[in-house]
Amino acid sequence: MDIKISTLAGKDAGKVELSDAIFGLDPREDILQRVVRWQLAKKQQGTHQAKGRADIARTGAKMYKQKGTGRARHHSARAPQFRGGGKAHGPVARSHEHDLPKKVRALGLKHALSAKAKASSIVVVDELALTEAKTKALVANFAALGLSNALLIGGAELDANFKLAAANIPNIDVLPVQGINVYDILRRGTLVLSKAAVEALEERFK
């Protein structure tokens, strides 16, 4: 699959051939869902914690005698049914992570890239670099390219000026190629790849 290469200013800079093994698959929603769920589970802090009856600072003595009162049988006031008692089956601090095979993760990335290619939502630029870190100039460049909601993937090292200029623009994310992931690809409307990023991806999946 051939795709046009643009400069940041929106000018033509040639063509590049995208591998059908990476960008030409028929996207499968089930694989994308598995990978996104795995990513979001890893991001969860898992620090939620409620106090159970064992954690409540309250007397553990029997509330009143077992027989003769005509009332229900109770023991500790720390029981969940009482005001000030512990929470029954409350959340506890834990990890939400679960395993996902490496091959499924790799396949998910290919399917996410293919989904963007199929929707004609991939833009390839020659390089993501600026001579000076000016947000206003970069916003004008994005307007020329028709970008308002995009994920930009650079090479192994991001240009410092470009990273600074893009940091304050809403709905624009910038990542090095080693940080590319399914969730970020799918949450943004357009995927912008630098020429170096395309080469790195094809090398990675060779």
Side-chain angles (χ1 to χ4, degrees), residues 112-133:
L113 293 168
S114 296
K116 288 296 179 190
K118 192 174 182 180
S120 301
S121 297
I122 287 185
V123 175
V124 178
V125 296
D126 56 349
E127 60 174 347
L128 299 177
L130 295 173
T131 52
E132 53 181 348

Side-chain angles (χ1 to χ4, degrees), residues 58-76:
R58 200 172 188 184
T59 178
K62 189 168 173 67
M63 295 176 72
Y64 44 77
K65 64 181 183 174
Q66 178 87 343
K67 292 182 174 290
T69 64
R71 298 173 68 188
R73 296 171 290 187
H74 289 301
H75 187 265
S76 169

